Amino acid sequence: MMAAFTLLVLSVTVLASAAPTGPTSLNVSFHQSVTLSRKILQDVHTLIVKYKQVKIGNPSFEDYSLLLNSLPSSRMDYGHWLEMQDEERLLLNYNDLQVFWMHVDTKWVHELGQTQASVLIGSIEGISLDLRDLISQLNGQISALSSTSPDPPDVTLPHNVLNPAYDWYSKLQGYIIFRDLELYLNKVIRDFTLLKNKYRK
């Protein structure tokens, strides 16, 4: 997983040199990010249904009392959200999505290590790759607004996520990760839609 994270850091560093410039270019970039975010959201929603069927044994399973403290929260005061600066809004998403990406990638690696091939591997891998692309887009947008590339967050996943003690706990972790990612992506789409309209030609 560390090799994959290193690849992500290298990817966003390279893409920083190709950051969009000017209101028109930013509008196009934000439009692309809205489209990609909606795709990821749909893919995550589809995965959750399949995941609950395969891992939990109940496609209707819901439990919002289950939490992972290592995951970012999608909750934000609306007044604060309106007052955020553009760069601040993008940087928050940039940092938080990298944390989500690390969790998703960890679950993908876990699925690869299962003795029986999982029907979930391809879906999780696709979401991981799309998240990496979205993070790269955010890197370019932040660079365009601030003229500097943001530093990757200094994040270490807790041991109970990297090496869950029980298989059932690992399954519940996956549910929580994808459930919270789905919630967070709705906020991301709202942010990109706001910025796309703001930088319209």
Side-chain angles (χ1 to χ4, degrees):
M1 187 189 70
M2 291 306 298
F5 183 64
T6 302
L7 176 61
L8 172 64
V9 173
L10 290 174
S11 298
V12 296
T13 301
V14 171
L15 285 174
S17 61
T21 57
T24 302
S25 295
L26 280 169
N27 173 266
V28 171
S29 180
F30 291 137
H31 177 77
Q32 292 172 341
S33 295
V34 169
T35 301
L36 180 55
S37 299
R38 286 175 175 162
K39 177 187 181 298
I40 301 172
L41 177 62
Q42 181 58 54
D43 289 345
V44 171
H45 178 74
T46 301
L47 173 63
I48 289 174
V49 176
K50 187 188 303 182
Y51 187 94
K52 290 190 293 187
Q53 176 66 59
V54 172
K55 295 294 186 179
I56 310 296
N58 180 4
S60 301
F61 177 82
E62 294 291 351
D63 190 343
Y64 283 91
S65 68
L66 297 172
L67 302 172
L68 270 180
N69 292 331
S70 54
L71 289 173
S73 173
S74 60
R75 296 180 180 179
M76 181 177 293
D77 178 76
Y78 184 66
H80 176 67
W81 180 78
L82 288 175
E83 293 174 356
M84 292 180 74
Q85 300 297 312
D86 297 344
E87 184 182 345
E88 180 186 8
R89 192 184 306 279
L90 292 170
L91 189 59
L92 178 64
N93 288 335
Y94 174 80
N95 289 329
D96 286 354
L97 285 176
Q98 289 202 66
V99 175
F100 272 112
W101 175 79
M102 291 175 69
H103 282 78
V104 170
D105 202 58
T106 297
K107 286 304 166 189
W108 174 64
V109 171
H110 178 77
E111 289 299 313
L112 286 174
Q114 298 299 297
T115 53
Q116 290 184 326
S118 173
V119 296
L120 304 172
I121 289 178
S123 298
I124 297 175
E125 181 183 19
I127 291 169
S128 176
L129 292 173
D130 282 342
L131 279 174
R132 192 174 69 183
D133 288 345
L134 186 59
I135 292 166
S136 296
Q137 290 181 11
L138 279 160
N139 181 84
Q141 293 156 359
I142 295 169
S143 298
L145 290 175
S146 65
S147 300
T148 58
S149 181
D151 295 325
D154 184 14
V155 178
T156 301
L157 296 187
H159 181 76
N160 67 338
V161 173
L162 293 172
N163 297 288
Y166 305 102
D167 185 55
W168 177 245
Y169 185 48
S170 176
K171 292 175 180 178
L172 290 178
Q173 283 181 345
Y175 158 74
I176 298 168
I177 291 168
F178 297 118
R179 179 202 68 193
D180 286 8
L181 176 58
E182 182 179 31
L183 293 172
Y184 197 88
L185 284 168
N186 282 289
K187 184 188 82 68
V188 171
I189 291 170
R190 183 177 64 185
D191 284 345
F192 280 131
T193 301
L194 173 72
L195 292 167
K196 180 189 69 167
N197 292 332
K198 180 176 180 178
Y199 287 87
R200 181 179 297 167
K201 183 177 179 180

